[in-house]
Amino acid sequence: MAMDGNTRPNDLSAFWMPFTSNRQFKKQPRMFVSADRMHYTTDDGRQVLDGTAGLWCCNAGHNRPKIVEAVQKQVAELDYAPAFQMGHPKAFELATKLVELAPAPFEHAFFTNSGSESVETALKIALAYHRAKGQGERTRLIGRERGYHGVNFGGISVGGIVTNRKMFGTLLAGVDHLPHTHLPEQNAFTKGQPEHGAYLADELERIVTLHGAETIAAVIVEPMAGSTGVLLPPKGYLQRLREICTKHGILLIFDEVITGFGRLGSSFAAEHYGVMPDLITTAKGLTNGVIPMGAVLATAEIHDAFMQGPEHMIELFHGYTYSGNPMAAAAGLATLETYAEEDLFARAAGLEGYWQDALHSLKGLPHVIDIRGMGLIGAIELEPIAGEPTKRAFNAFLKCYDKGVLVRTTGDIIALSPPLIIEKEHIDTLIGTIADVLKTLD
């Protein structure tokens, strides 16, 4: 149904948009005004197929009745409750449901409002944990090249995406980085985990030798790197990281803001790959993107290290005004119920073969130099235009949007992560549209 002219604001100048080419956008805005299940509706009444689950977050699709009803009911019942020294039932209920869903070692959840805040929280917990254990000299943090861990100072310090780092000064001190795992010469056009690259985890031993294990608090990686363009872990790589961290008493943090809640066909990538970290960061799919919320999952060993002093004392001087917000907690509970009732994680796993075959049907089309994916996630890497990096993929994004399909680009990579409710016919439309667009690119 066509929308009336009042759906587009008269003035776009006040809103400084995030991660957006603001001037280009405001010359030719792309506006969504509603959404339902697999589709957005634009302000001019067009239907756009969601190939990205919003921003990797709407795993159950849009306008899901149970989630909508839970938020509507909660705002009339309890809109806000203090998060410090007070509680409300749904925050505790959600924490319980969350640790029941998580792999066995994880028994506690600390609530945040975003993936960025989850990362900051996990890094601070790691530092404080070592101090609580009498090893306060462990202050170094190790990230990875091309890693994305949100946009706060801790996250961009351990992160490894150059454009997110270079304008913001010296960042945190005492941070080092592992090499990324992208080996296109050996692993191009792989389905699932690539065969080559497990040895890259051994670079952690070099870093330990350089700095001394007794100075290193934690290693943080995305088990599958998402925002940089879907880099899958080589077979054996995560297992080797775990072994080295355990050997040297270093905490291992998995950033599962993208991989959590079914994206790979399992509850969490830790479960999917069979590698248990010490902390897991989450957000996005926790509430299906409906209300901002994140959580850090911690093992009993980590949590209990803080529960040693006088009972009246605050154990961890950290938290947020909106930690465990009532509406977010209600949305989270309804989201987890939706996932379970519709068995969406298993559904994603069941579609993986069809999804992979569809993705790899694009091999051989103009400018395609790699395709990779796992679960319901995928990336099509394009050869950059000489002297104009990112432009070819951005042009593909614009053309796909004009044809009624939403994709995401990062550099010259088209990244896909559709809602887990996607049907085979939607996959055909999504990949078919991308194929048509690729044939038209300069």
Side-chain angles (χ1 to χ4, degrees), residues 234-254:
K235 291 177 180 177
Y237 173 85
L238 294 175
Q239 288 81 355
R240 183 68 182 133
L241 274 188
R242 175 70 276 180
E243 290 168 4
I244 297 170
C245 286
T246 300
K247 172 183 173 183
H248 295 293
I250 299 166
L251 297 186
L252 179 60
I253 304 169
F254 276 2

Side-chain angles (χ1 to χ4, degrees), residues 67-256:
I67 305 172
V68 171
E69 182 182 356
V71 173
Q72 289 174 333
K73 181 179 178 183
Q74 186 61 45
V75 72
E77 180 183 278
L78 177 65
D79 53 356
Y80 177 80
F84 304 166
Q85 305 287 12
M86 296 296 297
H88 65 90
K90 284 191 173 64
F92 293 90
E93 186 181 349
L94 178 58
T96 299
K97 296 287 187 186
L98 192 50
V99 299
E100 287 174 352
L101 184 66
F106 296 93
E107 298 184 12
H108 303 278
F110 192 106
F111 287 120
T112 69
N113 307 291
S114 68
S116 293
E117 288 185 1
S118 291
V119 166
E120 304 299 300
T121 298
L123 296 177
K124 289 174 74 175
I125 287 174
L127 293 168
Y129 166 80
H130 287 297
R131 183 159 179 164
K133 299 287 282 186
Q135 299 183 46
E137 70 277 10
R138 286 187 181 265
T139 58
R140 292 190 178 276
L141 301 167
I142 312 300
R144 187 168 61 188
E145 296 168 358
R146 293 188 67 166
Y148 180 78
H149 302 292
V151 293
N152 293 347
F153 270 99
I156 62 173
S157 296
V158 295
I161 295 180
V162 175
T163 48
N164 292 357
R165 294 164 49 89
K166 65 184 180 181
M167 295 181 70
F168 305 111
T170 55
L171 310 181
L172 294 186
V175 174
D176 209 333
H177 291 78
L178 291 160
H180 63 72
T181 62
H182 189 38
L183 300 172
E185 296 83 3
Q186 293 111 313
N187 293 327
F189 298 101
T190 295
K191 290 185 179 181
Q193 285 185 266
E195 294 290 337
H196 306 285
Y199 66 88
L200 291 167
D202 291 328
E203 282 293 302
L204 182 54
E205 287 282 17
R206 181 189 62 79
I207 291 172
V208 167
T209 301
L210 175 63
H211 298 298
E214 72 280 2
T215 71
I216 301 174
V219 171
I220 182 169
V221 296
E222 301 157 275
M224 181 220 71
S227 293
T228 191
V230 185
L231 305 184
L232 298 164
K235 291 177 180 177
Y237 173 85
L238 294 175
Q239 288 81 355
R240 183 68 182 133
L241 274 188
R242 175 70 276 180
E243 290 168 4
I244 297 170
C245 286
T246 300
K247 172 183 173 183
H248 295 293
I250 299 166
L251 297 186
L252 179 60
I253 304 169
F254 276 2
D255 186 333
E256 295 225 35

Side-chain angles (χ1 to χ4, degrees), residues 99 102-108 270 275-278 280 297-302:
V99 299
F106 296 93
E107 298 184 12
H108 303 278
V275 179
M276 291 303 125
D278 301 288
I280 291 176
L297 301 178
T299 63
E301 180 183 350
I302 300 292

Side-chain angles (χ1 to χ4, degrees), residues 51 56 59 181 187 189-195 222-226 229-239 256 258-266 268-275 344-360 370-380 414-420 422 427 431:
W56 321 85
N59 290 0
T181 62
N187 293 327
F189 298 101
T190 295
K191 290 185 179 181
Q193 285 185 266
E195 294 290 337
E222 301 157 275
M224 181 220 71
V230 185
L231 305 184
L232 298 164
K235 291 177 180 177
Y237 173 85
L238 294 175
Q239 288 81 355
E256 295 225 35
I258 285 174
T259 54
F261 308 105
R263 181 53 53 194
L264 300 181
S266 303
F268 294 93
E271 174 189 0
H272 194 78
Y273 295 124
V275 179
L344 289 184
F345 302 169
R347 191 176 187 286
L351 279 171
E352 180 175 14
Y354 192 89
W355 172 253
Q356 290 284 357
D357 288 345
L359 276 176
H360 282 267
D370 193 16
I371 295 170
R372 47 192 180 265
M374 195 169 193
L376 281 184
I377 198 164
I380 303 118
I414 298 171
L416 303 171
S417 59
L420 309 184
I422 195 169
I427 295 175
I431 301 301

